[in-house]
Amino acid sequence: MLPILLLVGMMTGCELESVPHGDLYGYWHLEAVDTLSGGTTDVSDQRLFWAIQNQLVECSDRDNRHIPIVMHFERSGDSLLMDKVFVNDRPNGDPEVTDVGEISCYGLRSLKPHLHIDQLSDSKMVLSAEGLVLRFRKM
C-alpha cells in the first residue's frame, strides 16, 4: 500500500510543462517544395527531415547526399526567425555554412531564413519564405 501512496504523491506533486511552440516541435519529413510561380518539386521519395525542439532546428538527409545542418530559431507569432546555419559536425567544431547552395536541398534560400508558418497541425506543416512554400508531414 505504501508504494501506491508514494506513487500517487509523486504524480500529484509534478506539474506538466507546457510546450511553448505547440505542434511545431517534432520530426518533420519535407515532402514538397513549391514556387510561387506554380512549380512543384516532389521530394517525398527523399529522406529529408527537419527535427524541431526547443530553439533548434536540425535538418538532415537520411540518404547522406547532403550535409546535415543545425540552426537556432525564435518564434514570434507565425514567424520563425532563424539564426546562423551550422554544419552538424561536432568533431570538427560545427563550422558555419557560408554557401547557401549547400542548404538549398532543405528548401532554404538564405543563410538567415525568415519563415512564415502558413499551416500547422499535429500532422502537417506548411512554411513559406523567399518565394518558396515548404510542405511537411510529421513523423
Side-chain angles (χ1 to χ4, degrees):
M1 184 68 161
L2 183 58
I4 294 173
L5 289 174
L6 287 173
L7 181 62
V8 170
M10 288 184 336
M11 289 175 54
T12 58
C14 296
E15 292 183 32
L16 293 177
E17 182 180 332
S18 64
V19 177
H21 300 297
D23 292 323
L24 180 64
Y25 285 177
Y27 196 62
W28 297 93
H29 179 225
L30 179 62
E31 296 195 323
V33 179
D34 303 337
T35 62
L36 295 182
S37 61
T40 297
T41 301
D42 181 356
V43 293
S44 61
D45 62 337
Q46 297 179 41
R47 298 188 309 159
L48 301 172
F49 294 95
W50 286 34
I52 304 173
Q53 184 176 11
N54 293 330
Q55 293 180 329
L56 291 175
V57 176
E58 176 189 14
C59 300
S60 61
D61 174 7
R62 295 300 176 203
D63 295 318
N64 297 314
R65 290 179 289 190
H66 306 287
I67 63 169
I69 62 170
V70 176
M71 300 174 283
H72 293 268
F73 77 92
E74 286 188 32
R75 182 175 180 182
S76 177
D78 287 339
S79 291
L80 296 177
L81 307 169
M82 306 295 184
D83 203 352
K84 296 176 183 176
V85 181
F86 297 93
V87 177
N88 189 4
D89 184 5
R90 277 292 166 169
N92 292 310
D94 296 331
E96 189 172 346
V97 175
T98 57
D99 178 5
V100 74
E102 291 184 307
I103 62 172
S104 62
C105 60
Y106 299 114
L108 300 171
R109 288 187 170 174
S110 169
L111 295 175
K112 287 193 173 192
H114 176 182
L115 303 167
H116 183 267
I117 301 170
D118 296 333
Q119 178 184 350
L120 182 60
S121 71
D122 61 350
S123 62
K124 293 187 187 249
M125 176 171 68
V126 177
L127 304 176
S128 60
E130 298 145 353
L132 295 179
V133 177
L134 312 176
R135 300 184 184 282
F136 297 86
R137 183 173 51 92
K138 196 173 219 175
M139 300 307 294

